[in-house]
């Protein structure tokens, strides 16, 4: 069994103080411009995808926590995480942006929070201005920020793509005449206290694929699944494995998957890299099943 706290090699991310200062300054600049923060988290990794800087820097600006991709995360865990954020005093909404699920709820919350801000700002003043609520959409790369914006705007206002780093620079998008959304490039935050985080960000597809060692990633993903009683069964069924296959070490299990999927090279050997890519694609797209990596 692999110890997930072992130092990750290629999956690990190198962070330099310069990165953090730059990220911090960017967040501060963006926060100056807005009334409400919508932090989009990946419902499969609500802890690992959260940026503690946002919470610290936003001060008393209202925040909406959105748990997106809730269609491919564990149903029970979704409810537990929602409850957790609500107990922390946050508004929390579970969404599945690519099928427009619960996006209306985000719009309602923006309008509700925006109205409270404007009512407070202009109380006792007889001004007749049309309010515009300015909303910052933040989150790690590939979490679905631009998809959410397009659904709120009801048009193709922002570029979307199935890889991290699609949005390159910030962009304002006007919605329904009274909401301005600020789309931002994904920002990764190093949780240096937890070495598992790099692995989880990688397995959910939030780190650029070029920097990953896909075999290492796959065996760690397999290790996670077979160590969890709920997900073990899903994994066995997906790859039509025998229970006894799991007695092998994780590389051998990957080899079994490779054999079953026809990843052969000359001499009957298994192309482990190909097998690993198949597993990784299945995992990150939710094809193995609904899996949450940050278990609460
Ligand atoms: N399964 C699932 N996929 C989603 C959901 N929302 C978005 N996606 C997909 O996730 C991928 C990334 O979406 P984007 O909206 O480009 O993500 P982003 O956060 O703007 O990414 P960057 O601009 O790279 O920071 C796309 O392939 C979307 O179709 C969802 O709720 N469920
Ligand atoms: Mg984007």
């Amino acid at each position: 069994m692999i110890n997930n706290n072992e130092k990750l090699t290629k999956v690990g991310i190198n962070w330099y103080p310069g990165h953090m200062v730059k990220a911090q300054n960017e967040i501060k600049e963006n926060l100056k411009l807005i009334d409400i923060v919508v932090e989009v988290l990946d419902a499969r990794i609500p802890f690992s995808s959260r940026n503690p800087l946002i919470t610290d820097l936003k001060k008393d600006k209202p925040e909406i926590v959105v748990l997106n991709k809730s269609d491919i995360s564990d149903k029970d865990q979704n409810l537990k995480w929602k409850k957790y954020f609500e107990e922390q005093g946050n508004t929390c909404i579970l969404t599945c942006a690519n099928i427009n699920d619960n996006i209306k709820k985000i719009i309602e919350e923006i309008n509700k929070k925006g109205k409270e801000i404007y009512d407070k700002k202009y109380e006792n003043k007889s001004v007749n201005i049309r309010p515009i609520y300015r909303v910052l959409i933040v989150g790690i790369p590939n979490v679905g920020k631009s998809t959410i914006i397009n659904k709120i705007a009801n048009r193709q206002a922002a570029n979307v793509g199935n890889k991290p780093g699609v949005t390159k620079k910030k962009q304002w998008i006007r919605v329904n005449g009274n909401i301005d959304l600020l789309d931002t490039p994904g920002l990764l935050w190093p949780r240096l206290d937890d070495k598992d985080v790099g692995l989880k960000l990688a397995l959910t597809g939030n780190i650029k694929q070029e920097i990953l060692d896909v075999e290492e990633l796959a065996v760690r993903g397999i290790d996670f699944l077979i160590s969890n009683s709920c997900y073990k069964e899903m994994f066995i069924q997906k790859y039509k494995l025998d229970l006894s296959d799991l007695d092998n070490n994780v590389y051998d299990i990957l080899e079994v998957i490779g054999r079953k999927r026809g990843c052969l090279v000359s001499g009957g050997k298994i192309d482990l890299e190909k097998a690993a890519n198949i597993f990784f694609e299945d995992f990150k797209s939710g094809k193995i099943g609904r899996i949450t990596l940050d278990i609460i």
Side-chain angles (χ1 to χ4, degrees):
M1 197 112 333
I2 292 176
N3 171 8
N4 276 340
N5 282 330
E6 270 170 29
K7 189 153 176 37
L8 294 167
T9 53
K10 289 191 187 160
V11 178
I13 318 163
N14 288 324
W15 296 98
Y16 302 101
H19 281 150
M20 288 182 237
V21 173
K22 190 166 172 265
Q24 193 161 353
N25 288 340
E26 265 172 38
I27 294 172
K28 274 190 194 155
E29 282 307 304
N30 290 335
L31 282 169
K32 272 190 214 156
L33 308 171
I34 57 104
D35 303 307
I36 299 164
V37 181
V38 172
E39 188 174 12
V40 185
L41 305 182
D42 187 317
R44 296 167 295 174
I45 47 168
F47 169 77
S48 306
S49 58
R50 193 151 204 224
N51 185 336
L53 270 183
I54 305 284
T55 320
D56 290 349
L57 297 175
K58 77 175 180 68
K59 305 216 169 74
D60 54 359
K61 297 205 178 183
E63 182 182 359
I64 300 167
V65 174
V66 171
L67 296 176
N68 192 42
K69 304 201 180 182
S70 62
D71 54 320
I72 51 176
S73 57
D74 187 319
K75 269 188 191 166
D76 291 344
Q77 288 291 315
N78 283 350
L79 297 179
K80 287 185 181 158
W81 274 109
K82 181 168 165 26
K83 188 161 172 256
Y84 166 84
F85 285 113
E86 286 170 350
E87 281 170 2
Q88 306 271 309
N90 291 297
T91 301
C92 178
I93 304 171
L94 284 160
T95 59
C96 172
N98 55 359
I99 57 159
N100 216 343
D101 190 36
N102 245 358
I103 299 297
K104 246 194 191 153
K105 187 92 183 82
I106 304 179
I107 304 173
E108 277 166 26
E109 279 300 328
I110 291 173
N111 280 314
K112 189 172 142 208
K113 292 193 189 317
K115 186 172 182 315
E116 281 165 15
I117 294 169
Y118 271 71
D119 285 352
K120 203 164 156 200
K121 199 162 160 189
Y122 295 110
E123 102 189 308
N124 306 327
K125 292 190 191 110
S126 60
V127 283
N128 189 12
I129 57 154
R130 195 170 59 123
I132 301 231
Y133 311 141
R134 288 148 66 94
V135 183
L136 172 65
I137 312 284
V138 276
I140 59 167
N142 207 38
V143 71
K145 300 176 294 300
S146 301
T147 310
I148 289 177
I149 287 174
N150 288 341
K151 298 297 180 192
I152 294 178
N154 204 16
R155 66 192 154 93
Q156 210 56 30
N159 279 339
V160 163
N162 190 16
K163 57 177 187 192
V166 170
T167 304
K168 305 280 182 222
K169 56 181 185 353
K170 61 185 180 193
Q171 179 193 1
W172 283 104
I173 291 148
R174 168 76 44 102
V175 182
N176 295 336
N178 77 320
I179 298 175
D180 277 353
L181 300 173
L182 182 56
D183 190 12
T184 54
L187 209 59
L188 278 173
W189 172 253
R191 285 192 184 264
L192 296 171
D193 51 334
D194 186 340
K195 294 190 185 74
D196 266 358
V197 168
L199 172 70
K200 290 174 180 173
L201 290 168
L203 276 170
T204 46
N206 299 104
I207 296 176
K208 285 208 169 84
Q209 202 149 346
E210 303 84 273
I211 66 164
L212 307 176
D213 179 329
V214 76
E215 279 173 45
E216 184 178 355
L217 195 58
V219 293
R220 284 172 183 274
I222 292 170
D223 189 58
F224 171 81
L225 294 178
I226 63 177
S227 310
N228 180 305
S229 54
C230 300
Y231 302 145
K232 192 164 146 183
E233 195 53 38
M234 265 180 205
F235 174 65
I236 291 177
Q237 290 201 354
K238 170 74 188 166
Y239 297 104
K240 302 196 169 34
L241 303 171
D242 294 324
L243 202 54
S244 59
D245 288 328
L246 303 192
D247 297 337
N248 296 315
N249 79 44
V250 273
Y251 279 93
D252 291 339
I253 300 175
L254 182 61
E255 207 177 303
V256 175
I257 293 174
R259 185 165 298 117
K260 285 185 183 273
R261 291 302 169 99
C263 308
L264 299 172
V265 280
S266 58
K269 285 215 161 122
I270 305 296
D271 183 342
L272 273 187
E273 192 182 337
K274 200 167 168 197
N277 271 312
I278 289 176
F279 173 84
F280 177 47
E281 288 303 321
D282 287 345
F283 191 101
K284 77 176 172 179
S285 57
K287 285 192 188 130
I288 295 174
R290 300 179 61 154
I291 294 159
T292 296
L293 289 164
D294 282 338
I295 303 284
I296 191 168

